[in-house]
Amino acid sequence: MSDPIAPDATLPMLQVKSLGKLYSRRPKDMRKRMSKVARNAFFNIGKPEIRELYSGEFWAVKNVSFDLQRGEAIGVIGLNGSGKTSLLRILAGQILPDAGEVIIRGSSAAMIDLQAGFQQNAPGRENIFLRAAALGFRRKETELRVDEIIAFSELGDAIDAPLASYSSGMRMRLAFAIMATVAPDVLLIDEVLAVGDFRFRQKCLAKMREMRARSAFVFVSHSMNDVSTFCDRVIVLHKGRVYFEGPPAEAIEVYESLDQGIPTKDVPQQLAKAMGPVFENPDALAGVAHFWCDEKGNEVEEVKFSDPLRLRLKFRSLIDVRALSIGIPVWSINRHYVTGLSTQVTSDTFDIEAGDDVDIMLEVAPGFLNPGVVKSMLTVLDGPEFLYRQPNPDLVIRSAKHPTWGSITVPHRFIRRDKGPAQSKGAPVVIPLNP
Amino acid sequence: MKKDRSEKQAQAGDQVRIYVPDSRYSANPIEAIRELFKEVWSFRSHIAAMFGAEFRSSYRGTVFGVFWNFALPLVPLSVYILLVNLRVFPVYDGLNPAIYISFNVTIWSLLTGLITLPIMVVKSRNNESTRTAQPISVAVLASFARLFFDTFVRFALLCILIVLFAQWPKTNLLMLLPILLSGMVLCFSLGLMLAIFNVIIPDVERVVTIMLQYGVFVSGVIFPLGGLGPLKVLEPFNPFNVYIQALRDEVFFGHIANHAAVWSWAGVALLLFLMSMRFFYVMERRIRGIT
């Protein structure tokens, strides 16, 4: 095995790339998969690959990507079962991912489960040593911090009572006090703060703010107030996928729209409003099908950032179309109108006569649209007349090898004017300026 | 190779950790042993704390307190010693029956404990392990602390019996320790492998329990296998019998009768150790959460 890699202070503390975790609703399926894994491991015949899912299996977390810098706090919100805790457990190293990668630069500690790592029959004081030992602290090191931990937890004499006699709030106080004293580089905090009373929760949040100078936080909560006041940006997880990523206020809006039962396949109401009306003219176009596809024209739901985007449009024209114009306005999930793809830009023209079975493919150069969910609309016109206007299926753009900001990445490069172009270590960031 | 969660937490501030699916697959047995050792070493304070907490919790609230921690390991021995006093057992190998049985039961309990404890611990901690970053190997080792304590208590009783019956040993320590270590390694390796299989196929634990319950009678623990007529042929093929007999011979007579059997099993132990370490290392995080 290689030696640990020395961390680079300029790199993110936490990098999550296309993370996935497979679960099974039926233990039978999980055992079946594990049998294969065990067989391969026992006979050392290579890594087992996930080629297909068994009927009861599903991705509890899929394609989740984000970066976290020192001093940053990212919130993760979502409905119950959306994959928040699974994501956090993977980040904490408690379970292995089935896809993707997590890179943590520095120490980390997780507050996910208040029962875990504690001895129920032992007093709180002894549990301080146990928990601290699990975080890598020796007894003598912990002894120096015990008074501070007890003082922060405000448990008083109860610290010598068995943990089994503690309420959830008392456990949370103890767990948080230990973690705050240990002060790791990356803190992963699940819903646990919710069990504390208002005053202590504020004390925890204040302590976390104090720790922000040197730590990074992943904060899972159902308290939108805590999320909005503490986090710089927020991820909305839905069915294991990143449904939205952006500023807290917008994320909370998206979350609330999910919470109000808006069908998950539908875009949030405000986005739907931004995307405008839909329209069909069955007397002009029949059998219209449009979907994102690969180079062979097969439908896809996601593409790599570095792959071209392709959209296929098929229909039977029932009329002669004299001035066909196709437009595809594109939005990000947070309602930003990102760009428009149009035959008016490419100057492509097509002669279409009544009875033609038309099959058109749009191809977009790779590396423009940043990772996330792409919302778009297909608009077909004959001159000024709308023939068709309906949303395209969602397209997920998977994470890039390099960091991205905003909704798009425009072609760019840096030139050192005294010596010539900058030397790039890896592949060029994006497309050449003069294709 | 990409690093997994085996890095030392205490040093984590200086390190980069990468979690990827099945990153441990490419480890060879030596790398697996080294990584597991590092993992356990980094949690050594935790193991000590766990043992201390478990030791205290086992008697907390009882009237006799810590007395129970010394008394309970002696219960199996005391039953046999009682039977010896009732003259149920004859003299074997020229040893006092109480010493013969106490010695054998002490070794048997140690060896079988090394098999059954990993199975029990991995099963019971598997669900909890999904909620902590603590490796299961740490919980397994912490459970051994109790096994070794119990063995120590039984050994102390054995020493008392030896003094009491003036059955002075002629121990060859140079040979005794490698044989004991080899037996422990064999059983520990089996225990680790079976522990993983038991998570995937829960019948394993039951089969092992049944086999050990019968096994005590065909492993020369209570009486030599030679006393079972045709089953004497099993003597060199039953590792428990081989190790118990060899250790007894080394302790009381200073030599062993069947070198070939002992060293053959030592070879098997080494092979199993290498296989089981890698297998456990690769599988430990994969089996988490299977209930």
Side-chain angles (χ1 to χ4, degrees):
Chain A
M1 293 205 173
S2 65
D3 287 332
I5 313 150
D8 182 339
T10 59
L11 291 170
M13 307 281 291
L14 176 66
Q15 275 182 292
V16 178
K17 298 178 185 176
S18 304
L19 205 63
K21 180 69 192 168
L22 197 60
Y23 277 145
S24 177
R25 290 185 183 91
R26 297 185 305 178
K28 196 176 86 178
D29 291 327
M30 190 177 273
R31 291 211 161 86
K32 206 167 157 185
R33 187 169 293 284
M34 276 308 118
S35 301
K36 283 185 182 173
V37 175
R39 185 196 60 199
N40 285 25
F42 191 78
F43 295 108
N44 196 7
I45 50 176
K47 293 181 188 181
E49 301 208 346
I50 301 171
R51 289 204 179 89
E52 55 178 342
L53 302 190
Y54 298 122
S55 57
E57 287 185 321
F58 64 99
W59 288 99
V61 174
K62 187 159 193 207
N63 256 330
V64 175
S65 303
F66 63 90
D67 289 352
L68 193 61
Q69 301 283 354
R70 191 183 290 276
E72 245 191 324
I74 192 166
V76 181
I77 57 177
L79 303 179
N80 290 336
S82 57
K84 304 183 295 291
T85 302
S86 296
L87 171 65
L88 222 56
R89 288 196 194 289
I90 298 171
L91 302 184
Q94 296 174 358
I95 49 176
L96 271 184
D98 288 306
E101 189 175 46
V102 178
I103 304 172
I104 300 178
R105 297 181 174 87
S107 60
S108 65
M111 251 180 87
I112 300 175
D113 194 315
L114 291 176
Q115 306 286 342
F118 279 134
Q119 278 269 349
Q120 298 305 310
N121 295 327
R125 187 184 296 275
E126 204 167 301
N127 273 294
I128 292 176
F129 289 97
L130 268 175
R131 189 89 164 198
L135 290 168
F137 277 68
R138 291 182 189 158
R139 197 169 180 89
K140 281 185 181 172
E141 292 170 324
T142 310
E143 271 166 5
L144 298 173
R145 295 171 166 87
V146 164
D147 291 341
E148 191 187 335
I149 292 169
I150 296 171
F152 188 90
S153 68
E154 301 175 8
L155 286 171
D157 293 341
I159 199 69
D160 292 312
L163 200 81
S165 65
Y166 283 25
S167 67
S168 321
M170 289 162 82
R171 281 164 205 259
M172 186 280 275
R173 286 171 177 226
L174 186 62
F176 188 88
I178 298 167
M179 201 181 72
T181 312
V182 166
D185 295 311
V186 179
L187 268 94
L188 311 164
I189 301 175
D190 202 351
E191 194 51 52
V192 291
L193 291 187
V195 297
D197 56 43
F198 177 78
R199 193 188 57 78
F200 195 81
R201 207 162 73 229
Q202 297 314 307
K203 186 176 172 181
C204 292
L205 288 170
K207 181 74 181 173
M208 282 157 64
R209 267 191 287 275
E210 194 183 307
M211 293 162 72
R212 277 183 70 155
R214 69 171 303 269
S215 301
F217 295 82
V218 180
F219 187 62
V220 170
S221 182
H222 279 115
S223 164
M224 295 303 124
N225 191 34
D226 290 352
V227 168
S228 62
T229 54
F230 185 68
C231 299
D232 305 296
R233 59 197 163 100
V234 176
I235 285 176
V236 181
L237 274 189
H238 190 58
K239 295 190 173 174
R241 294 169 187 253
V242 176
Y243 193 73
F244 174 85
E245 181 178 355
E250 287 180 28
I252 289 168
E253 208 173 284
V254 172
Y255 166 76
E256 281 170 352
S257 73
L258 286 172
D259 200 23
Q260 285 157 12
I262 293 172
T264 57
K265 285 281 179 192
D266 293 350
V267 292
Q269 286 169 339
Q270 294 197 4
L271 179 58
K273 199 176 165 188
M275 288 171 74
V278 294
F279 174 78
E280 273 184 73
N281 181 354
D283 297 329
L285 305 182
V288 184
H290 48 110
F291 47 85
W292 297 99
C293 64
D294 58 19
E295 58 190 348
K296 290 177 184 165
N298 299 320
E299 187 168 0
V300 295
E301 290 180 354
E302 55 186 49
V303 294
K304 289 182 191 166
F305 175 79
S306 55
D307 287 347
L309 309 184
R310 296 184 181 89
L311 185 105
R312 192 167 176 193
L313 163 64
K314 295 199 293 185
F315 61 87
R316 165 166 282 217
S317 180
L318 305 177
I319 56 169
D320 291 337
V321 182
R322 293 166 198 278
L324 179 76
S325 168
I326 302 171
I328 298 163
V330 176
W331 290 265
S332 67
I333 189 88
N334 56 4
R335 310 196 303 273
H336 292 146
Y337 192 174
V338 176
T339 187
L341 311 165
S342 170
T343 49
Q344 291 177 2
V345 175
T346 59
S347 305
D348 292 318
T349 54
F350 304 98
D351 292 330
I352 293 171
E353 294 173 2
D356 279 0
D357 285 319
V358 181
D359 189 347
I360 295 171
M361 190 189 281
L362 160 77
E363 195 168 289
V364 183
F368 283 98
L369 291 178
N370 286 348
V373 179
V374 171
K375 299 281 183 183
S376 61
M377 190 73 92
L378 173 72
T379 309
V380 182
L381 301 99
D382 183 7
E385 182 192 352
F386 277 89
L387 303 179
Y388 186 87
R389 194 172 194 276
Q390 291 289 340
N392 291 310
D394 287 355
L395 177 72
V396 176
I397 298 182
R398 284 162 59 187
S399 65
K401 286 180 181 166
H402 52 76
T404 54
W405 296 270
S407 302
I408 57 164
T409 298
V410 294
H412 63 285
R413 64 178 176 178
F414 295 90
I415 299 162
R416 187 168 164 183
R417 297 195 61 197
D418 58 338
K419 284 193 174 178
Q423 298 299 309
S424 174
K425 284 180 185 172
V429 172
V430 281
I431 327 87
L433 282 173
N434 300 306
Chain B
M1 190 183 131
K2 284 174 176 173
K3 297 291 290 182
D4 204 327
R5 177 77 193 184
S6 50
E7 289 85 3
K8 187 179 174 184
Q9 252 317 348
Q11 291 178 349
D14 306 317
Q15 290 180 342
V16 176
R17 279 165 295 149
I18 301 175
Y19 307 145
V20 288
D22 300 316
S23 62
R24 294 180 169 189
Y25 258 86
S26 46
N28 64 38
I30 303 298
E31 286 171 340
I33 292 167
R34 195 175 62 210
E35 290 302 316
L36 282 172
F37 180 79
K38 277 162 68 180
E39 199 169 75
V40 166
W41 182 252
S42 67
F43 279 93
R44 62 194 181 281
S45 307
H46 190 66
I47 294 174
M50 271 176 82
F51 175 63
E54 195 186 318
F55 189 81
R56 281 184 288 275
S57 71
S58 63
Y59 65 79
R60 186 172 285 120
T62 61
V63 175
F64 294 108
V66 74
F67 162 79
W68 290 116
N69 287 46
F70 290 89
L72 289 176
L74 299 179
V75 170
L77 288 188
S78 63
V79 171
Y80 288 116
I81 291 169
L82 178 72
L83 291 174
V84 165
N85 282 330
L86 297 173
R87 301 188 185 284
V88 173
F89 298 107
V91 171
Y92 296 115
D93 295 346
L95 290 175
N96 178 285
I99 293 175
Y100 180 90
I101 287 189
S102 299
F103 182 88
N104 293 353
V105 170
T106 301
I107 301 296
W108 168 263
S109 303
L110 173 66
L111 295 182
T112 54
L114 289 166
I115 296 176
T116 53
L117 275 176
I119 296 175
M120 280 164 51
V121 171
V122 171
K123 182 185 168 190
S124 65
R125 297 284 175 125
N126 189 32
N127 212 21
E128 193 193 317
S129 67
T130 61
R131 294 181 283 146
T132 69
Q134 182 191 308
I136 301 181
S137 53
V138 169
V140 171
L141 278 203
S143 72
F144 286 161
R146 184 62 196 265
L147 175 69
F148 293 146
F149 176 79
D150 290 356
T151 304
F152 172 76
V153 172
R154 289 185 191 119
F155 183 71
L157 177 69
L158 184 66
C159 291
I160 293 170
L161 290 175
I162 286 172
V163 173
L164 205 63
F165 293 105
Q167 190 98 48
W168 306 115
K170 299 170 185 167
T171 309
N172 179 355
L173 269 179
L174 269 181
M175 291 296 282
L176 178 74
L177 291 178
I179 295 171
L180 180 62
L181 193 66
S182 154
M184 288 169 67
V185 164
L186 177 82
C187 293
F188 174 58
S189 307
L190 267 176
L192 281 188
M193 276 196 199
L194 293 172
I196 299 291
F197 284 124
N198 183 54
V199 175
I200 300 165
I201 310 162
D203 309 61
V204 169
E205 186 182 10
R206 290 163 178 83
V207 172
V208 169
T209 306
I210 292 168
M211 285 182 73
L212 291 181
Q213 279 178 356
Y214 278 99
V216 73
F217 298 106
V218 288
S219 302
V221 178
I222 301 164
F223 43 79
L225 262 182
L228 293 175
L231 288 183
K232 184 175 166 50
V233 75
L234 288 178
E235 265 184 352
F237 301 108
N238 180 341
F240 294 107
N241 178 68
V242 169
Y243 281 111
I244 289 172
Q245 193 181 345
L247 288 167
R248 199 174 56 234
D249 287 350
E250 280 297 345
V251 169
F252 292 102
F253 308 111
H255 61 84
I256 52 176
N258 192 347
H259 277 278
V262 172
W263 299 121
S264 300
W265 278 110
V268 173
L270 182 65
L271 190 69
L272 265 183
F273 180 67
L274 293 172
M275 283 172 70
S276 67
M277 284 287 125
R278 184 185 175 277
F279 185 56
F280 186 82
Y281 179 68
V282 171
M283 292 300 296
E284 192 252 328
R285 275 171 200 276
R286 297 295 305 174
I287 56 162
R288 288 189 168 203
I290 302 179
T291 51

